Amino acid sequence: MSWVELQPVLCQVGILAILALSLNVLCGLTGLLQLGHAGFYAIGAYTAGCYAIYATVPALGWCNLIPAAAAGMAAAALCSLVIGLPCLRLAGDYLAIATLGFAEIVRLILTNAELPGGRMFPGETIGGPTGIAFTEFPGQVWPGQEHYSAEYATLPVIWLGVGVTYLFLLNIKRSAIGRAFLCIREDEIAARTMGINVPRYKLLAFLLSAAFAGLAGALFFHQQLRINPGNFNLLKSIEVLLIVVLGGMGSLTGAICAAFLLGLLPCLLRHLDLSGVAFLPAILQKPLSEYSMLLYALLLILLTRLLPNGVFAMHELPTWLRPRPKTSPRRKAKAPEGRKP
Amino acid sequence: MQDFLFYLVSGLCIGSIFALVAVGYTLVYGIIKLVNFAHGEFYMVGAYASFGTYSLLPSSTSPWLAIPLMVLAGGTAGAAIAGLTERVAYKPIRRSGRLAALLTAIGVSFLLQNLFAFFSQARPLQYPTEPHGSVGEICQRTVLLGTDGLVLIRFAYIGAAVLFCALLWYLVLRTRFGRAMRAVSQDADAATLMGIDVDRVIRHTFLIGGGLAGVAGTLIALQGVTEPMMGFLPGLKAFVAAVLGGIGNIAGAVVGGLLLGVIESLAVWAGVPTGYKDVAAFVILILVLVIRPQGLLGRVTRVKV
Amino acid sequence: MKKESIRKEFDFFFAEGLCKSFGGVQAVTDFSLELASREIVGLIGPNGAGKTTVFNLITGLDQPDAGELYFRRAYITREPAHRIARLGIARTFQNIRLLGHLSTLDNIRVAYHSHIRYNLFHAALRLPRYHRVEQDITDKSMQFLKLFHLERDVHTLAGALPYGKRRRLELARALATGASLLLLDEPGAGLNPAETVELTHLIRRLRDEFAVTILLIEHDMKMVMSLCERLVVLNFGRIIATGTPAELRTNEAVLAAYLGQPRTPPC
C-alpha cells in the first residue's frame, strides 16, 4: 500500500482517535453512556464549515484552522450544556437514549435546514442533504503542499490534535478531577458523601467530551472539505463507542490503539477479495469491504462477550506491560499530625 | 376541520403500529431491563418473511386468503428471530451488566440490518399493484376522508392493535404464564425460588414481543416498501412511545404509541414541515425523560442507599 | 429569632423534629438529637427502626419532610449532600461503598476532594500547583493508610481487599475527608470478636487524636455498651429512650422494643 493511499486513512484514524478519546471521558471515566457522540462531532464540523464560508480571513491562510477549531469546540460545548443540563438526572439506558435522540435531532435539523451560500457560494444554499462541499479551499496552503488540494488539516496537524487531546485528557484523568469522574462511575452515592458535586462533574464531563468531539469535527471538515448529514449518523456514534469498548472503558491509550485497529480494518479488507473464490456461492463473492458492516456488528457482539473490559481495561497499559507496583510507599511519610481542637 | 379528522385518523392508524412494536419493547424491558435495540429489526424481518410468503404463493391465491397468511408468516418470523436472538446473543450475557446488554443489542440490530442489506443487495421490495385484485392493489385502495384519501388497509392497523392488545391483556392478567411473567418482572431471583422457569418466561416474552413486531412490520410493508433499514426509525419511535407511556407498563406502551402517532400526525396538520416530523418524536422523548422519566403511567422507583 | 437562639445553644450539631416518610410509610418521626463536640453516641434499635434513614437525612442523601438540621452554627437542612460533606460530616455505609476498581490509595485520595485547590487548567497543563497539591494529599493519604494498617495494600484494588480491610478503608476514607462528625453505619457488622475489640479501640483513638464526634449505628451490644457515652434508641422511627448505657440497660421501653411487649393474658 502506498503512502499516498495510506495518508487519508491515517487522517481518518486520527480523527477517530480524537472522537474515541473524547467519548472515553464521558463513557469510560464518568460511566455515563452516550449514544449521540456523532451529534457533537457534527456540530463541530458544521461550525467549522460555516466559519469557512462566512468568516474566513484569507490573509490568515492556514491559521484560519485555529479560530475554526475553537469555534467548533465552543459550539459543541455549548450544545452539550443544552442537552447535558436537562439530562443530568437520567441514568444508564435512559441517558443513552436521550443522547441518541439529541443526535438524531441534530442530524434531522442538518438534513432539513438550509443557509444562504454567503461569499463562497453566492446565489446557492448550503446545508440540506448535500451538506457543505468545497472543491477548492480559499487562502494559502501549507508550504510545499501544492500537490494536495488546499486542506489545512493535514496528517501532522490531525495527529498534533490527537497528541494535544491525549495529553490534556490524560492529565485530567490523573488529577482530582479524574478521580471525581471515576468516583461517580464507581459509586454515585459514595461520591456525594465525599463532597463531590456530582451534577457539576457530570456536566464537566459532558462539556469536555463534547468540546473535543467538536475539535474532531472541525478537523474532519478541514480534511474532507465536504461534509453531509450522512457522515454523522448513529453508525458513527456506535463506531466510536465500539472503539472505546475495544480499547477499554477509561483507557485513553487503549482508545488510540483501538482507533488504529478499527480505522485500518476497512483499508485492509479492501485488499482482500472473495470475488474469485470458486467454492463460495455467488452471493458471497464480493470484495471483503462489502462485509465491513457485518464485521463491525459481529465484532461488537463478540467483544462485549469475550472481552468485556477491553484490551486495556481502564489502565493506560495492558497488564503484561504494566510496571509491578511497589507495595511500600515511595516516600517516607511524616508522622501523622492529629488535628488539635 | 375535515382535514383535522383525516390527520387524526391517520395518526391513530400509525400510532397503532407504534403501539404494537412498543408493547414488545416494554415487555422485554419489564422482564430483563434490556433496551432491546434489535426490536425494530424483528419488525423488518417480519416484513421480509411476509414478502417471501407472498412470492411463494401461487398468483391465483385470493388476496383475502393471502393477506392473513402473510400476516401469520410475518408474525411467526418475527417471533422466531426474536427467540433466536435471545438464545444466541442475550442469554449468555444476561448477568454481565446493563452496558454489555445494551451494546450487544446494538450489535444485533446492526448485524440483522446488514445481513439483510447484504443478501437483498439493498433493493427495496414493493408489492406489485398490477393486476387489479392482487394483494398490492388491494392494499393501495383508499377511502375518501374529508378531502384526502386514506389508505384502507390502515384501518387494519387499528384492528390488529385492538385484537393483539386484548389477547395480551388476557394473557398477562388472566393466565398462569402471565402471572409468572409479572413475577419475573418484579424479582427474577424470587420467581426462580418459587419454581418459575425464568429462562422459559424470558424466551416466551421475546417470542410474543417479536411476533407482535413481525405483524406490525408486515402490515406496514403491505402498502409501503420492504427494505433492510425499515425497522430502525419505527423501532426508535416505538421506544419513545414505550418511554412516553412508562417503560415496563403494557397499557402505557399502547397509550404512548397512539399518542405519539397522533402527535406526529397533528404536527404535520399544524404546519410543521414534513422533514421535521421525526424531530417531534425525539423532542418528545427528551421532554418526557426530563420532565417525567417514569412516563405517563409509570411509577417512580427509588434507589436504596 | 428562634434560629438565632438555637445556634447559640447548640454549638456543634443539632437536629430538631426530623420527619421522613416513603410512600405512606413513616420511616422517621420527630427525631431530635444534639451532639457535643468529641462525643461518641450510639444510635440503636431493632431492624427497620429507621436508623439508616436518620443517617441519610443528616448527610443530605435524603431530604427530610420536616425538621431542621444545624451543624457548627450553619443551617444545613435541605443542603445537597456534597455541601454537607464539605462542611465536615462524613459517613460509612452498612454495605461498604468503596470504589472497587480504584486502588486503596486512590480511594483515600478521593476523600480529599473538597480540599483540592487547583482547577482544570492546573491539572491539564501540569502547573506547579498541581504537583504541590497532589504530593501533599498523597503524603497525607499514606499517613492515613499507615494509621489504619493498610500501607501494604496501597496499590491493591479496593474491590480485591478482604472484608475487614474494606471496613477499615472505608473508615479511613471517611476520616480523610477532614470531617469533624463521623456517622458510622454498623462498623462492626461481619467482624469477629477480636476484630470488634480492635475496632472499638480504633474508634476511641480516632476520637482522641482527631477530635471528631462519632455517631454510630451498631447491633453489637457489647461494643455499644463499652464504647458509647450516650445512646439513642429508635423504634418504628421514633425515639423511645435516651441516656447512658447503664441507664438504658434497665429501661422497660427499650427491653420491650428488643424483646417484644410482655403479653398480658386476656381476661
Side-chain angles (χ1 to χ4, degrees):
Chain A
M1 193 185 301
S2 69
W3 177 241
V4 177
E5 209 178 332
L6 197 61
Q7 210 166 13
V9 178
L10 288 179
C11 287
Q12 283 306 304
V13 170
I15 287 167
L16 272 180
I18 298 179
L19 280 175
L21 286 171
S22 60
L23 184 64
N24 217 334
V25 174
L26 201 59
C27 287
L29 295 184
T30 321
L32 298 174
L33 197 51
Q34 142 95 305
L35 287 177
H37 212 52
F40 299 118
Y41 181 43
I43 289 165
Y46 269 80
T47 308
C50 288
Y51 174 86
I53 289 169
Y54 301 122
T56 301
V57 184
L60 277 178
W62 63 268
C63 288
N64 274 312
L65 188 57
I66 295 165
M73 289 174 83
L78 208 65
C79 290
S80 80
L81 291 186
V82 173
I83 181 71
L85 264 178
C87 292
L88 279 178
R89 290 189 305 158
L90 305 177
D93 304 342
Y94 283 89
L95 182 72
I97 300 299
T99 51
L100 186 152
F102 163 75
E104 282 297 303
I105 292 174
V106 169
R107 196 178 60 83
L108 286 166
I109 288 176
L110 291 180
T111 315
N112 287 296
E114 289 188 333
L115 286 171
R119 278 182 297 149
M120 300 286 170
F121 305 102
E124 294 175 48
T125 56
I126 57 159
T130 48
I132 302 174
F134 278 96
T135 42
E136 209 178 323
F137 201 61
Q140 286 170 314
V141 295
W142 285 101
Q145 286 226 317
E146 287 81 6
H147 52 284
Y148 291 118
S149 61
E151 299 146 353
Y152 292 145
T154 52
L155 190 60
V157 171
I158 287 176
W159 279 92
L160 182 72
V162 177
V164 168
T165 310
Y166 176 71
L167 282 180
F168 193 94
L169 296 179
L170 189 66
N171 285 349
I172 285 175
K173 181 186 168 183
R174 290 185 171 159
S175 72
I177 298 158
R179 283 197 297 271
F181 287 159
L182 285 167
C183 190
I184 292 171
R185 181 184 90 167
E186 295 287 312
D187 193 326
E188 210 173 303
I189 287 171
R192 286 164 68 193
T193 56
M194 292 291 107
I196 293 168
N197 187 344
V198 174
R200 200 174 133 210
Y201 276 89
K202 280 187 175 174
L203 210 55
L204 181 64
F206 250 109
L207 204 77
L208 279 172
S209 167
F212 283 100
L215 173 68
L219 290 175
F220 177 67
F221 169 76
H222 281 276
Q223 193 244 335
Q224 295 280 319
L225 296 185
R226 50 184 74 239
I227 49 176
N228 64 62
N231 298 126
F232 310 103
N233 53 15
L234 180 63
L235 180 64
K236 199 71 190 174
S237 301
I238 305 284
E239 192 184 354
V240 179
L241 186 62
L242 178 58
I243 292 174
V244 171
V245 173
L246 176 62
M249 298 287 256
S251 171
L252 301 177
T253 318
I256 294 183
C257 295
F260 257 103
L261 213 65
L262 282 198
L264 291 179
L265 188 69
C267 181
L268 294 175
L269 292 178
R270 206 171 305 138
H271 289 261
L272 297 170
D273 202 339
L274 291 186
S275 42
V277 186
F279 63 84
L280 286 176
I283 197 155
L284 292 178
Q285 291 192 11
K286 289 177 182 175
L288 258 183
S289 54
E290 302 261 314
Y291 287 88
S292 64
M293 287 307 305
L294 278 177
L295 284 178
Y296 266 133
L298 268 179
L299 207 59
L300 188 60
I301 297 173
L302 290 178
L303 266 179
T304 39
R305 170 125 22 121
L306 303 176
L307 211 64
N309 291 324
V311 182
F312 287 40
M314 54 173 278
H315 304 282
E316 292 307 324
L317 288 171
T319 328
W320 46 274
L321 267 178
R322 229 171 286 150
R324 285 191 65 79
K326 283 174 257 163
T327 43
S328 57
R330 272 162 295 153
R331 282 174 46 149
K332 275 256 158 47
K334 283 168 280 174
E337 40 181 292
R339 275 184 291 110
K340 300 285 175 293
Chain B
M1 192 56 220
Q2 283 180 332
D3 226 21
F4 175 80
L5 190 68
F6 168 80
Y7 280 105
L8 183 70
V9 173
S10 82
L12 277 177
C13 294
I14 200 74
S16 304
I17 291 291
F18 290 154
L20 277 178
V21 185
V23 164
Y25 249 120
T26 239
L27 280 176
V28 168
Y29 190 90
I31 297 270
I32 52 170
K33 304 284 172 287
L34 164 75
V35 178
N36 182 16
F37 249 88
H39 202 72
E41 274 54 57
F42 302 163
Y43 166 99
M44 177 266 293
V45 171
Y48 267 100
S50 61
F51 198 91
T53 313
Y54 168 77
S55 39
L56 287 179
L57 288 174
S59 53
S60 56
T61 319
S62 148
W64 305 115
L65 175 65
I67 292 178
L69 274 180
M70 285 157 62
V71 170
L72 189 68
T76 314
I81 193 76
L84 186 72
T85 305
E86 196 274 328
R87 182 67 198 80
V88 176
Y90 296 152
K91 200 174 172 204
I93 51 121
R94 204 179 287 154
R95 299 228 167 248
S96 20
R98 304 279 281 271
L99 176 69
L102 191 65
L103 289 177
T104 306
I106 292 169
V108 169
S109 163
F110 270 73
L111 187 68
L112 287 175
Q113 276 176 16
N114 287 295
L115 269 179
F116 276 82
F118 189 82
F119 287 111
S120 70
Q121 319 286 327
R123 261 198 316 271
L125 303 172
Q126 221 164 351
Y127 293 98
T129 49
E130 296 286 313
H132 187 81
S134 70
V135 170
E137 191 267 333
I138 283 181
C139 294
Q140 298 293 347
R141 285 185 192 168
T142 57
V143 62
L144 210 60
L145 196 69
T147 47
D148 298 276
L150 189 70
V151 182
L152 208 51
I153 191 81
R154 288 196 167 190
F155 288 104
Y157 301 172
I158 301 182
V162 170
L163 174 69
F164 285 110
C165 290
L167 281 178
L168 196 67
W169 175 81
Y170 179 79
L171 179 79
V172 172
L173 291 181
R174 290 282 182 274
T175 65
R176 218 168 86 93
F177 175 73
R179 196 163 58 225
M181 251 170 95
R182 283 178 288 147
V184 174
S185 81
Q186 285 194 12
D187 189 333
D189 292 331
T192 312
L193 294 177
M194 294 300 109
I196 293 171
D197 184 349
V198 173
D199 282 346
R200 187 169 151 266
V201 171
I202 292 174
R203 194 164 58 238
H204 286 194
T205 307
F206 266 91
L207 292 181
I208 295 167
L212 294 180
V215 169
T218 305
L219 290 175
I220 281 287
L222 280 175
Q223 59 118 82
V225 292
T226 306
E227 46 118 7
M229 301 298 160
M230 67 181 285
F232 176 68
L233 208 53
L236 272 185
K237 285 186 184 169
F239 180 77
V240 176
V243 172
L244 181 61
I247 192 146
N249 183 321
I250 297 174
V254 177
V255 172
L258 292 176
L259 208 58
L260 185 66
V262 171
I263 291 173
E264 266 194 15
S265 188
L266 291 187
V268 176
W269 173 73
V272 174
T274 346
Y276 286 102
K277 187 186 76 175
D278 295 333
V279 177
F282 295 112
V283 170
I284 290 173
L285 170 73
I286 293 181
L287 284 182
V288 172
L289 284 177
V290 169
I291 297 167
R292 202 179 151 84
Q294 73 272 30
L296 296 178
L297 304 184
R299 260 194 242 122
V300 190
T301 50
R302 283 185 46 84
V303 184
K304 202 165 158 54
V305 178
Chain C
M1 182 58 203
K2 192 190 163 206
K3 279 177 192 171
E4 280 306 311
S5 64
I6 288 168
R7 276 184 201 181
K8 278 202 191 100
E9 234 172 302
F10 302 101
D11 243 18
F12 189 68
F13 174 84
F14 175 67
E16 160 92 49
L18 292 181
C19 293
K20 180 72 187 175
S21 64
F22 297 111
V25 181
Q26 195 72 30
V28 172
T29 315
D30 196 23
F31 178 89
S32 299
L33 175 71
E34 65 213 62
L35 296 173
S37 188
R38 311 186 66 167
E39 229 184 340
I40 300 183
V41 178
L43 184 59
I44 62 172
N47 287 327
K51 304 182 296 290
T52 299
T53 307
V54 168
F55 272 24
N56 291 346
L57 294 179
I58 294 176
T59 49
L61 292 180
D62 272 332
Q63 305 297 337
D65 301 331
E68 292 178 334
L69 288 162
Y70 296 88
F71 178 61
R72 298 210 291 188
R73 295 164 184 265
Y75 180 69
I76 57 165
T77 321
R78 291 194 186 79
E79 284 285 300
H82 66 89
R83 207 164 293 157
I84 291 178
R86 278 173 185 220
L87 286 172
I89 299 182
R91 70 174 287 181
T92 64
F93 294 88
Q94 200 173 339
N95 45 337
I96 310 169
R97 282 180 179 272
L98 287 173
L99 315 175
H101 291 97
L102 267 62
S103 70
T104 303
L105 179 62
D106 275 341
N107 266 277
I108 301 273
R109 286 204 287 193
V110 161
Y112 283 98
H113 188 83
S114 16
H115 306 287
I116 297 287
R117 292 286 169 268
Y118 62 79
N119 62 29
L120 188 78
F121 291 96
H122 292 116
L125 304 176
R126 291 272 159 124
L127 298 182
R129 180 189 278 198
Y130 162 83
H131 288 287
R132 208 164 53 233
V133 173
E134 283 293 298
Q135 191 59 58
D136 187 38
I137 65 167
T138 307
D139 288 347
K140 281 188 186 156
S141 304
M142 291 304 301
Q143 289 165 23
F144 268 110
L145 289 176
K146 273 229 175 90
L147 183 66
F148 285 82
H149 304 298
L150 289 164
E151 71 270 19
R152 288 186 169 279
D153 300 295
V154 174
H155 296 286
T156 318
L157 295 190
L161 288 176
Y163 184 81
K165 285 185 177 174
R166 288 221 298 274
R167 280 258 174 241
R168 283 214 299 274
L169 179 57
E170 205 193 17
L171 189 54
R173 189 181 66 177
L175 197 62
T177 57
S180 48
L181 172 58
L182 283 187
L183 309 182
L184 309 181
D185 198 343
E186 300 198 21
L191 300 185
N192 64 33
E195 286 173 323
T196 310
V197 172
E198 201 185 318
L199 180 73
T200 311
H201 291 310
L202 181 63
I203 291 177
R204 205 173 280 135
R205 198 179 142 199
L206 294 183
R207 191 266 308 265
D208 296 339
E209 270 184 36
F210 293 89
V212 289
T213 304
I214 290 167
L215 177 64
L216 78 146
I217 295 176
E218 187 51 68
H219 282 302
D220 184 335
M221 279 307 135
K222 224 172 123 195
M223 180 177 166
V224 170
M225 293 296 173
S226 69
L227 185 61
C228 299
E229 290 144 5
R230 203 150 60 86
L231 290 178
V232 177
V233 190
L234 269 186
N235 197 19
F236 296 116
R238 286 177 186 279
I239 296 179
I240 55 170
T242 53
T244 63
E247 285 168 12
L248 291 185
R249 224 182 277 266
T250 52
N251 186 308
E252 269 179 29
V254 178
L255 290 177
Y258 270 93
L259 304 173
Q261 208 71 42
R263 204 174 276 243
T264 43
C267 30

